[in-house]
Amino acid sequence: MKILEKTEAGYRLGCNCTHRFMRKRLGLSVECPACGATETSAALLDRYTYETADQDRTEAA
């Protein structure tokens, strides 16, 4: 499971079973509504931060 995108509405997540779903907030863990797979939010956020670290970011002046 991984975070595909962070939006104003919440988090768009993708599961290994190919199911995509949204969560407004991440709790201690996240469960896929299709297959029941679980992942901790800390692991999801760590992976997302690592994967997006090299992307250009817009800085406020």
Side-chain angles (χ1 to χ4, degrees), residues 12-54:
R12 192 165 64 94
L13 300 147
C15 185
N16 297 337
C17 72
T18 69
H19 185 71
R20 305 288 184 254
F21 57 100
M22 289 285 296
R23 287 288 182 259
K24 186 173 183 174
R25 286 180 248 162
L26 298 177
L28 293 175
S29 65
V30 178
E31 181 178 355
C32 174
C35 71
T38 59
E39 184 75 61
T40 64
S41 340
L44 290 171
L45 288 168
D46 284 346
R47 190 176 311 119
Y48 179 78
T49 302
Y50 178 75
E51 291 174 355
T52 59
D54 294 334

